[in-house]
Amino acid sequence: MFEIVAFYLFAFLTIGMLGITVFTNNALYALSSLAAGMIFISAFFFLLDADFLGVVQIVVYTGAVMALYAFGMMFFDSMSEVKEKIANPRLKFVLSGMIALLVVIIFVAPLIGADAQKGLYPVHPEYGNVQDVGVVLFTKYLIPFEVAAVMLLVSMIGGIILASKKMDTNLSELSEEEIDALQEENTAKGSK
């Protein structure tokens, strides 16, 4: 019963977060929801007793999204004013708090239950689960693993090239007066 409730909750949260990633216009909201979606995807691995893959999901993919977040912050137009329209902030606060509390309970519940030690035992006790994953990853799936690494590298370089073409000015090379003039110009464009 616990696994079914947890599965549906994390499925709902993952689809919601990735939906925000696709449909929002704000790059920072998209990156934040993408990172949350990756963390919720790792919950499926924990539910399947694949703890190592769950940790790898958090470290690798969420770490990559955080690196993407840093690039997004670098290329974000900090001079533009962002006006948020929050219709009912109390309702959003209460719902966010309840969802966060529910997620914490679902993560903590297996630690308190009787099966808490079940996931600590490896499939092969003589050498452990990590070695199993390493052997399969670097023998049977070596070429797909390397192709995925090259694809990630190419996409990162392409993203940097595309983002750098849109930057006309470097704010770190401008004086205070030039930055103020540029900010007034952007404000005038935004008011039109």
Side-chain angles (χ1 to χ4, degrees):
M1 180 67 184
F2 166 75
E3 287 86 5
I4 294 172
V5 172
F7 174 79
Y8 282 114
L9 175 70
F10 286 121
F12 172 75
L13 290 173
T14 302
I15 291 171
M17 288 296 129
L18 297 180
I20 291 171
T21 303
V22 172
F23 294 115
T24 187
N25 292 329
N26 190 327
L28 298 180
Y29 289 166
L31 291 172
S32 299
S33 60
L34 182 62
M38 292 297 169
I39 290 173
F40 290 137
I41 287 173
S42 72
F44 295 113
F45 291 113
F46 290 114
L47 287 175
L48 295 171
D49 289 332
D51 299 339
F52 178 75
L53 292 179
V55 171
V56 167
Q57 170 75 23
I58 291 174
V59 171
V60 173
Y61 288 103
T62 308
V65 171
M66 287 298 108
L68 190 63
Y69 196 88
F71 279 108
M73 289 297 289
M74 283 193 313
F75 298 121
F76 186 71
D77 185 12
S78 62
M79 297 182 68
S80 66
E81 290 187 26
V82 177
K83 295 180 181 175
E84 295 188 46
K85 297 177 184 175
I86 300 176
N88 195 349
R90 286 188 180 180
L91 178 65
K92 289 185 179 184
F93 178 76
V94 170
L95 286 176
S96 301
M98 289 174 59
I99 290 173
L101 181 64
L102 192 58
V103 168
V104 168
I105 289 172
I106 286 178
F107 271 115
V108 171
L111 299 176
I112 298 172
D115 295 334
Q117 300 298 319
K118 183 180 151 187
L120 298 177
Y121 297 113
V123 176
H124 296 107
E126 61 271 9
Y127 51 83
N129 291 340
V130 176
Q131 190 170 354
D132 280 342
V133 173
V135 167
V136 171
L137 190 63
F138 290 109
T139 55
K140 187 177 179 182
Y141 297 108
L142 179 63
I143 292 177
F145 181 74
E146 294 296 331
V147 169
V150 171
M151 287 173 58
L152 287 173
L153 179 66
V154 169
S155 64
M156 184 182 74
I157 292 171
I160 291 171
I161 290 171
L162 289 175
S164 65
K165 285 183 179 178
K166 292 182 180 177
M167 295 183 68
D168 299 335
T169 57
N170 186 356
L171 294 179
S172 63
E173 295 176 357
L174 299 177
S175 66
E176 290 289 327
E177 293 80 20
E178 291 170 330
I179 291 174
D180 290 339
L182 192 60
Q183 190 171 16
E184 290 174 7
E185 182 181 324
N186 287 340
T187 305
K189 286 181 183 176
S191 63
K192 289 182 181 178

